[in-house]
PDB file of all heavy atoms in Angstrom:
ATOM      1  N   ILE A  65      23.180  -6.258  12.266  1.00 93.00           N
ATOM      2  CA  ILE A  65      22.418  -7.335  11.750  1.00 93.00           C
ATOM      3  C   ILE A  65      22.338  -7.299  10.202  1.00 93.00           C
ATOM      4  O   ILE A  65      22.027  -6.199   9.619  1.00 93.00           O
ATOM      5  CB  ILE A  65      20.956  -7.385  12.286  1.00 93.00           C
ATOM      6  CG1 ILE A  65      21.068  -7.709  13.840  1.00 93.00           C
ATOM      7  CG2 ILE A  65      20.035  -8.328  11.578  1.00 93.00           C
ATOM      8  CD1 ILE A  65      19.664  -7.683  14.505  1.00 93.00           C
ATOM      9  N   ASP A  66      22.605  -8.329   9.523  1.00 92.00           N
ATOM     10  CA  ASP A  66      22.667  -8.322   8.086  1.00 92.00           C
ATOM     11  C   ASP A  66      21.207  -8.683   7.637  1.00 92.00           C
ATOM     12  O   ASP A  66      20.825  -9.908   7.911  1.00 92.00           O
ATOM     13  CB  ASP A  66      23.688  -9.376   7.521  1.00 92.00           C
ATOM     14  CG  ASP A  66      23.832  -9.291   5.997  1.00 92.00           C
ATOM     15  OD1 ASP A  66      23.085  -8.495   5.418  1.00 92.00           O
ATOM     16  OD2 ASP A  66      24.564 -10.116   5.523  1.00 92.00           O
ATOM     17  N   PRO A  67      20.465  -7.790   6.964  1.00 92.00           N
ATOM     18  CA  PRO A  67      19.180  -8.161   6.429  1.00 92.00           C
ATOM     19  C   PRO A  67      19.088  -8.976   5.126  1.00 92.00           C
ATOM     20  O   PRO A  67      18.028  -8.984   4.492  1.00 92.00           O
ATOM     21  CB  PRO A  67      18.470  -6.872   6.355  1.00 92.00           C
ATOM     22  CG  PRO A  67      19.574  -5.930   5.993  1.00 92.00           C
ATOM     23  CD  PRO A  67      20.747  -6.436   6.691  1.00 92.00           C
ATOM     24  N   MET A  68      20.161  -9.579   4.774  1.00 92.00           N
ATOM     25  CA  MET A  68      20.346 -10.285   3.559  1.00 92.00           C
ATOM     26  C   MET A  68      19.223 -11.379   3.276  1.00 92.00           C
ATOM     27  O   MET A  68      18.827 -11.960   4.304  1.00 92.00           O
ATOM     28  CB  MET A  68      21.694 -10.870   3.280  1.00 92.00           C
ATOM     29  CG  MET A  68      21.923 -11.597   2.008  1.00 92.00           C
ATOM     30  SD  MET A  68      23.418 -12.489   1.958  1.00 92.00           S
ATOM     31  CE  MET A  68      24.681 -11.212   2.065  1.00 92.00           C
ATOM     32  N   ASP A  69      18.761 -11.534   2.067  1.00 90.00           N
ATOM     33  CA  ASP A  69      17.810 -12.634   1.868  1.00 90.00           C
ATOM     34  C   ASP A  69      18.362 -13.940   2.146  1.00 90.00           C
ATOM     35  O   ASP A  69      19.565 -14.299   1.979  1.00 90.00           O
ATOM     36  CB  ASP A  69      17.468 -12.518   0.298  1.00 90.00           C
ATOM     37  CG  ASP A  69      16.437 -13.612  -0.060  1.00 90.00           C
ATOM     38  OD1 ASP A  69      15.226 -13.299  -0.001  1.00 90.00           O
ATOM     39  OD2 ASP A  69      16.844 -14.659  -0.547  1.00 90.00           O
ATOM     40  N   ASP A  70      17.484 -14.925   2.734  1.00 89.00           N
ATOM     41  CA  ASP A  70      18.110 -16.122   3.246  1.00 89.00           C
ATOM     42  C   ASP A  70      18.579 -16.972   2.098  1.00 89.00           C
ATOM     43  O   ASP A  70      19.528 -17.712   2.164  1.00 89.00           O
ATOM     44  CB  ASP A  70      16.867 -16.858   3.980  1.00 89.00           C
ATOM     45  CG  ASP A  70      16.511 -16.066   5.256  1.00 89.00           C
ATOM     46  OD1 ASP A  70      17.279 -15.423   5.829  1.00 89.00           O
ATOM     47  OD2 ASP A  70      15.298 -16.188   5.669  1.00 89.00           O
ATOM     48  N   ARG A  71      17.889 -16.934   0.907  1.00 90.00           N
ATOM     49  CA  ARG A  71      18.339 -17.783  -0.183  1.00 90.00           C
ATOM     50  C   ARG A  71      19.679 -17.330  -0.814  1.00 90.00           C
ATOM     51  O   ARG A  71      20.554 -18.151  -1.105  1.00 90.00           O
ATOM     52  CB  ARG A  71      17.290 -17.729  -1.242  1.00 90.00           C
ATOM     53  CG  ARG A  71      15.984 -18.471  -0.876  1.00 90.00           C
ATOM     54  CD  ARG A  71      14.921 -18.204  -2.000  1.00 90.00           C
ATOM     55  NE  ARG A  71      13.675 -18.919  -1.702  1.00 90.00           N
ATOM     56  CZ  ARG A  71      13.342 -20.197  -1.996  1.00 90.00           C
ATOM     57  NH1 ARG A  71      14.312 -20.839  -2.647  1.00 90.00           N
ATOM     58  NH2 ARG A  71      12.278 -20.708  -1.626  1.00 90.00           N
ATOM     59  N   LEU A  72      19.794 -15.978  -0.751  1.00 90.00           N
ATOM     60  CA  LEU A  72      21.135 -15.509  -1.164  1.00 90.00           C
ATOM     61  C   LEU A  72      22.302 -15.771  -0.100  1.00 90.00           C
ATOM     62  O   LEU A  72      23.436 -16.173  -0.672  1.00 90.00           O
ATOM     63  CB  LEU A  72      20.991 -13.912  -1.337  1.00 90.00           C
ATOM     64  CG  LEU A  72      22.311 -13.199  -1.784  1.00 90.00           C
ATOM     65  CD1 LEU A  72      22.924 -13.766  -3.055  1.00 90.00           C
ATOM     66  CD2 LEU A  72      22.071 -11.716  -1.795  1.00 90.00           C
ATOM     67  N   ARG A  73      21.875 -15.830   1.197  1.00 89.00           N
ATOM     68  CA  ARG A  73      22.951 -16.231   2.103  1.00 89.00           C
ATOM     69  C   ARG A  73      23.410 -17.680   1.929  1.00 89.00           C
ATOM     70  O   ARG A  73      24.582 -17.975   2.022  1.00 89.00           O
ATOM     71  CB  ARG A  73      22.350 -15.947   3.455  1.00 89.00           C
ATOM     72  CG  ARG A  73      23.384 -16.309   4.635  1.00 89.00           C
ATOM     73  CD  ARG A  73      22.788 -15.947   5.957  1.00 89.00           C
ATOM     74  NE  ARG A  73      22.760 -14.576   6.254  1.00 89.00           N
ATOM     75  CZ  ARG A  73      21.625 -13.928   6.309  1.00 89.00           C
ATOM     76  NH1 ARG A  73      20.461 -14.404   6.090  1.00 89.00           N
ATOM     77  NH2 ARG A  73      21.651 -12.549   6.562  1.00 89.00           N
ATOM     78  N   ARG A  74      22.376 -18.501   1.729  1.00 90.00           N
ATOM     79  CA  ARG A  74      22.732 -19.942   1.628  1.00 90.00           C
ATOM     80  C   ARG A  74      23.520 -20.188   0.318  1.00 90.00           C
ATOM     81  O   ARG A  74      24.386 -21.044   0.153  1.00 90.00           O
ATOM     82  CB  ARG A  74      21.430 -20.785   1.656  1.00 90.00           C
ATOM     83  CG  ARG A  74      20.812 -20.794   2.915  1.00 90.00           C
ATOM     84  CD  ARG A  74      19.815 -22.024   2.971  1.00 90.00           C
ATOM     85  NE  ARG A  74      18.638 -21.803   2.080  1.00 90.00           N
ATOM     86  CZ  ARG A  74      17.419 -21.247   2.462  1.00 90.00           C
ATOM     87  NH1 ARG A  74      17.319 -20.708   3.664  1.00 90.00           N
ATOM     88  NH2 ARG A  74      16.495 -21.068   1.509  1.00 90.00           N
ATOM     89  N   HIS A  75      23.139 -19.460  -0.787  1.00 88.00           N
ATOM     90  CA  HIS A  75      23.820 -19.455  -2.051  1.00 88.00           C
ATOM     91  C   HIS A  75      25.285 -19.032  -2.043  1.00 88.00           C
ATOM     92  O   HIS A  75      26.183 -19.703  -2.523  1.00 88.00           O
ATOM     93  CB  HIS A  75      23.112 -18.570  -3.091  1.00 88.00           C
ATOM     94  CG  HIS A  75      23.890 -18.560  -4.459  1.00 88.00           C
ATOM     95  ND1 HIS A  75      23.874 -19.499  -5.358  1.00 88.00           N
ATOM     96  CD2 HIS A  75      24.564 -17.566  -4.989  1.00 88.00           C
ATOM     97  CE1 HIS A  75      24.515 -19.213  -6.423  1.00 88.00           C
ATOM     98  NE2 HIS A  75      24.912 -17.963  -6.269  1.00 88.00           N
ATOM     99  N   LEU A  76      25.583 -18.007  -1.273  1.00 89.00           N
ATOM    100  CA  LEU A  76      26.926 -17.654  -1.069  1.00 89.00           C
ATOM    101  C   LEU A  76      27.715 -18.550  -0.136  1.00 89.00           C
ATOM    102  O   LEU A  76      28.885 -18.656  -0.361  1.00 89.00           O
ATOM    103  CB  LEU A  76      26.922 -16.078  -0.415  1.00 89.00           C
ATOM    104  CG  LEU A  76      26.305 -15.018  -1.205  1.00 89.00           C
ATOM    105  CD1 LEU A  76      26.339 -13.708  -0.426  1.00 89.00           C
ATOM    106  CD2 LEU A  76      27.100 -14.848  -2.506  1.00 89.00           C
ATOM    107  N   ALA A  77      26.982 -19.102   0.887  1.00 87.00           N
ATOM    108  CA  ALA A  77      27.588 -20.024   1.674  1.00 87.00           C
ATOM    109  C   ALA A  77      28.063 -21.379   0.882  1.00 87.00           C
ATOM    110  O   ALA A  77      29.086 -21.923   1.031  1.00 87.00           O
ATOM    111  CB  ALA A  77      26.732 -20.533   2.772  1.00 87.00           C
ATOM    112  N   HIS A  78      27.284 -21.800  -0.122  1.00 86.00           N
ATOM    113  CA  HIS A  78      27.520 -22.915  -0.992  1.00 86.00           C
ATOM    114  C   HIS A  78      28.758 -22.452  -1.852  1.00 86.00           C
ATOM    115  O   HIS A  78      29.730 -23.308  -2.053  1.00 86.00           O
ATOM    116  CB  HIS A  78      26.449 -23.239  -1.918  1.00 86.00           C
ATOM    117  CG  HIS A  78      25.454 -24.146  -1.242  1.00 86.00           C
ATOM    118  ND1 HIS A  78      25.795 -25.492  -0.779  1.00 86.00           N
ATOM    119  CD2 HIS A  78      24.136 -24.002  -0.966  1.00 86.00           C
ATOM    120  CE1 HIS A  78      24.790 -25.989  -0.280  1.00 86.00           C
ATOM    121  NE2 HIS A  78      23.756 -25.068  -0.297  1.00 86.00           N
ATOM    122  N   GLN A  79      28.840 -21.306  -2.372  1.00 83.00           N
ATOM    123  CA  GLN A  79      29.897 -20.820  -3.202  1.00 83.00           C
ATOM    124  C   GLN A  79      31.258 -20.785  -2.499  1.00 83.00           C
ATOM    125  O   GLN A  79      32.376 -21.156  -2.882  1.00 83.00           O
ATOM    126  CB  GLN A  79      29.731 -19.448  -3.836  1.00 83.00           C
ATOM    127  CG  GLN A  79      28.651 -19.504  -4.940  1.00 83.00           C
ATOM    128  CD  GLN A  79      28.472 -18.200  -5.528  1.00 83.00           C
ATOM    129  OE1 GLN A  79      28.863 -17.086  -4.903  1.00 83.00           O
ATOM    130  NE2 GLN A  79      27.944 -18.167  -6.800  1.00 83.00           N
TER     131      GLN A  79
END
Side-chain angles (χ1 to χ4, degrees):
I65 295 177
D66 187 4
M68 181 188 298
D69 182 87
D70 297 333
R71 293 175 178 269
L72 178 59
R73 180 180 287 108
R74 294 197 294 268
H75 174 73
L76 295 177
H78 277 299
Q79 286 185 340

